[in-house]
Amino acid sequence: MKPAVASVWKQLGAAAEALRECHLRDMFAADAERFANHSAVWHDWLLDYSKQRVDANAMSLLRALWLVADMPDWIARMRAGEPINHTERRAALHIALRHPAGKGTIAHTGRDVMPAVHAELAKMRRFCTEIHGRHWRGATGEPITDVVNIGIGGSDLGPRMATQALAAHRHRDIRVHYVANLDAADLATVLSGLRPATTLFVIASKTFTTQETMQNAASARAWLVAALGEAAVARHFVAVSTNLGEVARFGIDPANAFAFWDWVGGRYSLWSVIGLPLALAIGFDNFEKLLAGAHAMDEHFFAAPPEANLPGLLALLEIWNTNFLGADNRALLPYSQSLGLLPRYLQQLEMESNGKQIDRQGQPLNHATSPIVWGEAGTNGQHAFYQLIHQGGRLIPCEFIVCREADFDLPGHHEKLLANCFAQAEALMRGKTLAETTAELSSAGLPADEVARLAPYRSFPGNQPSTTLLLPRLDPFNLGALIALYEHKVFAESVIWDINPFDQWGVEYGKQLASRLLPIIEGKADTTGLDSSTRGLIAWVSANTTAG
Ligand code: F6P
């Protein structure tokens, strides 16, 4: 850690110590302007962080941290296409994928990437027009009704989450399905409802070597060929990849291949041709609005000072909770059924990016990095795990996301959704003291001994920090901005934590070991060198699996 960062870090430790005994309800009581002082507005978005355990001193130190960590300089390096993914010697230029045409250049190794980006987008648009216009016909001459995206990780989670999030904007003639898991149950379940003649497969893989995707693609191909013959592949398979050589080897017509580049990380690739299934699901005009929203958030992140910078504020607050208050997790609680997959998407974005303990100089860190991100849509979560957040005794910073307007408007729903969301944030902040519970039970007419018996169970410590992000509505523009918000939050955290957010060696290690074990499980290699547990598991499978 640089001395200037270490110095602010130390002061933040002291600030956290000073606040340790403060309760959020007292902070609200002491400052009538707390909401105004601890909230930020961007366009028609509101970020309320007044229920975080911060005061003016902590916030001013966090802003200082932003500056001493050289955030503006790191942002400039990202924008300039420098190889900030230093372990893979790659740039991280996902911002170029949503950069509008005619708005200047973005250079990578001395060349402007924008013409190639817009050429692929134009190709995507043409393809969407053909599918939606029913001009693209399958091998039997029928139009496509169902698209199956086969991909995993970044080649699945982004388009899958966004397709669900934008369900209200779905193209009426096309159904889009997602298959990711190596477990045959995933592909088999999706295929069971489909007809080969009207199904199009999108094989999405940055590397085009990922075991899960290649196995699912091969099985999908076999399913199609069994019904329509080998020649049908050209009309029913398209590919999305950086590895066009492997795409051709798989047998997909190069004319049906959509390209992207190694400077796009898998979990940052939604904006590229990886977004093809999403564009097919919502129409290309809506996909462009998603890109516009992300670009608007890029501009905000690049220019806004830390006190008004939404990704920056989220990053600084998470660092406060993680490194100074000792939280090891964050609950992500969208009060939106459409955003139900957002926690899963952010698990990859945040934990695969920042789940690291080696700094940019190759040295072990002595501070925590990414918390465990978990959660699910409200109000469902309230009836599952909220009990533990209220009374489980753990520090669980919560992030509520809710829209002012409903995306599916049935009378009577949205007001209740908002009421539940705000009520949870209030209850977690305020809690309920033993005295309040006692008074409440007494005034309900319970006998004194019953009041004394029940009051401890029905009291709540509160002081659970939360942030509420209030969006106007869930539409393509706002969803694009929301995803970009989290991408930049992750980047800002990585700068302060001094880690590379763009590699994922832990995942690569798992892939390497699985490739080594496969021939052993297939009975083509022996178990020499394996630990006794792995050997025992494999032996158990082989001894107890019945043939057929
Ligand atoms: O999950 C690990 C990972 O490497 C991700 O980063 C990536 O999004 C995913 O695998 C899939 O990789 P590919 O797109 O190359 O198939």
Side-chain angles (χ1 to χ4, degrees), residues 203-390:
I203 312 302
S205 175
K206 180 175 170 181
T207 55
F208 229 73
T209 56
T210 302
Q211 190 185 50
E212 295 91 331
T213 301
M214 291 304 104
Q215 181 59 56
N216 278 323
S219 299
R221 194 180 198 282
W223 177 82
L224 184 97
V225 167
L228 301 177
E230 192 67 38
V233 171
R235 302 306 297 165
H236 293 267
F237 276 79
V238 300
V240 167
S241 188
T242 60
N243 189 348
L244 298 184
E246 277 302 320
V247 170
R249 262 187 290 284
F250 182 85
I252 293 178
D253 184 348
N256 299 340
F258 297 82
F260 65 115
W261 307 273
D262 73 358
W263 42 261
V264 182
R267 53 194 173 273
Y268 299 86
S269 63
L270 167 67
W271 325 99
S272 71
V273 289
I274 287 289
L276 182 63
L278 172 64
L280 288 168
I282 61 172
F284 198 80
D285 287 347
N286 278 328
F287 186 73
E288 279 193 324
K289 288 179 193 157
L290 181 96
L291 299 184
H295 177 69
M297 182 55 72
D298 293 343
E299 304 254 276
H300 167 68
F301 175 62
F302 299 156
E307 62 273 21
N309 193 309
L310 264 53
L313 283 165
L314 288 180
L316 293 172
L317 290 164
E318 181 140 282
I319 284 169
W320 171 255
N321 286 329
T322 303
N323 300 110
F324 301 99
L325 300 190
D328 62 1
N329 75 104
R330 179 175 107 257
L332 201 276
L333 308 167
Y335 273 64
S336 159
Q337 180 67 15
S338 300
L339 287 176
L341 291 176
L342 188 68
R344 248 214 265 172
Y345 172 78
L346 291 183
Q347 281 177 333
Q348 188 199 21
L349 179 63
E350 302 201 20
M351 298 202 279
E352 195 167 278
S353 295
N354 283 343
K356 318 256 164 90
Q357 274 295 297
I358 299 293
D359 71 15
R360 280 189 168 272
Q361 293 70 47
Q363 299 303 313
L365 290 174
N366 55 13
H367 55 257
T369 54
S370 175
I372 297 160
V373 181
W374 63 287
E376 84 151 271
T379 59
N380 301 19
Q382 289 178 203
H383 302 275
F385 52 77
Y386 276 47
Q387 166 61 34
L388 183 145
I389 308 183
H390 283 289

Side-chain angles (χ1 to χ4, degrees), residues 92-106:
L93 270 180
H94 42 283
I95 53 165
L97 301 169
R98 55 243 190 172
H99 193 78
K103 211 177 164 187
T105 60
I106 295 187

